[in-house]
Amino acid sequence: MRILIVDDDPEIVSFVKRALAYEGYTVDTASDGTEALAKALNQEPDLVVLDIIMPGIDGIEVSKRLRQANDVPILMLTAKGTVLDRVAGLDAGADDYLVKPFSVDELLARVRALLRRRKPGGVEEVLRFSDLSLNTVTREVKRNNETLEFTAQEFDLLLLFMNHPRQVLRRHFIYEKVWGFDYSGDSNVIEVYTRYLRAKLESNGRPRLIHTVRGVGYVLRE
């Protein structure tokens, strides 16, 4: 997925770009409306994260022109948070509106939601790794074609691993993504749920897929 970030504040651009790139998105940037329109129309991103207040052509006008050209999802990112401001952005063609300052988790959740909406209706996304498959829509998990049952929290943890195969995930990253809080070093919740996953994934003598990286975290690998 390719995402275009449009903002004249280099700190915001750097912050958002790092967050999106870490999640695996391809990220392009633009610092003004003219550059944004050129890149959006030539490169056809899957999503545009668009600031409103910019020199030259502002975000409202960029949104209007983009909407005339195609149906790319637009997430307005701005410090203007009144009802009238939000209405103006949405009327200009934006699909969603996020007010600064914002959390990384909320930004990523809005991005995922907009990208999901753009997928053709009824299309299921199935993640696969080794003999393991996970359906993000039906939440069905199979290993070697045998259906496995997971609780909601177990499924979310497994989904995180499936979205980052062969990447070592640090404990604080897992804690923030699955439980939504800053990692507490004295909590063993990650270890507990990892044991739950292993018990189910490794039943009937199946080989281990979730491995411990001592002092760091966990990794999904053969």
Side-chain angles (χ1 to χ4, degrees):
M1 290 289 186
R2 179 180 294 275
I3 298 177
L4 174 63
I5 305 169
V6 186
D7 200 306
D8 63 333
D9 185 335
E11 291 187 4
I12 292 292
V13 171
S14 177
F15 172 70
V16 175
K17 182 177 181 178
R18 284 199 309 271
L20 294 175
Y22 192 80
E23 292 297 308
Y25 299 109
T26 299
V27 182
D28 297 311
T29 64
S31 58
D32 59 53
T34 301
E35 184 183 9
L37 286 170
K39 288 189 174 182
L41 296 177
N42 291 331
Q43 299 174 353
E44 298 184 357
D46 297 289
L47 174 71
V48 176
V49 179
L50 177 64
D51 187 32
I52 285 184
I53 303 176
M54 294 183 296
I57 304 175
D58 66 12
I60 295 293
E61 183 61 27
V62 170
S63 182
K64 289 179 179 178
R65 296 188 189 184
L66 287 179
R67 192 53 69 234
Q68 291 173 353
N70 55 48
D71 62 348
V72 60
I74 300 172
L75 173 61
M76 284 284 191
L77 196 65
T78 180
K80 302 178 70 175
T82 68
V83 173
L84 290 178
D85 291 326
R86 291 196 294 271
V87 169
L90 295 171
D91 282 347
D95 298 277
D96 201 356
Y97 204 103
L98 188 57
V99 179
K100 305 174 185 177
F102 54 87
S103 72
V104 171
D105 286 339
E106 183 176 11
L107 169 70
L108 294 176
R110 301 289 184 95
V111 167
R112 288 192 297 268
L114 288 173
L115 291 174
R116 280 198 303 269
R117 290 178 207 167
R118 203 181 191 199
K119 291 180 180 178
V123 174
E124 297 179 339
E125 182 179 5
V126 179
L127 304 178
R128 301 184 187 279
F129 184 85
S130 185
D131 59 353
L132 181 65
S133 67
L134 181 151
N135 189 309
T136 60
V137 176
T138 65
R139 298 176 74 88
E140 182 181 47
V141 178
K142 292 184 178 182
R143 186 158 191 197
N144 197 22
N145 292 322
E146 179 183 343
T147 301
L148 304 177
E149 299 294 334
F150 293 92
T151 66
Q153 206 81 75
E154 292 167 354
F155 179 90
D156 290 344
L157 179 56
L158 181 59
L159 176 60
L160 183 66
F161 283 117
M162 293 288 280
N163 277 323
H164 299 83
R166 301 184 183 87
Q167 297 180 35
V168 178
L169 304 185
R170 295 182 176 273
R171 287 177 174 82
H172 68 82
F173 176 78
I174 297 172
Y175 204 88
E176 291 169 2
K177 295 300 179 183
V178 177
W179 283 272
F181 301 98
D182 291 336
Y183 174 62
S184 174
D186 58 356
S187 172
N188 69 339
V189 65
I190 297 173
E191 287 75 12
V192 170
Y193 274 87
T194 300
R195 286 200 300 269
Y196 293 161
L197 285 185
R198 284 173 173 166
K200 295 179 179 181
L201 292 173
E202 297 171 17
S203 61
N204 298 324
R206 301 183 184 94
R208 175 159 295 184
L209 290 179
I210 299 177
H211 300 265
T212 302
V213 180
R214 295 192 180 280
V216 183
Y218 297 90
V219 59
L220 177 71
R221 61 173 172 79
E222 294 88 345

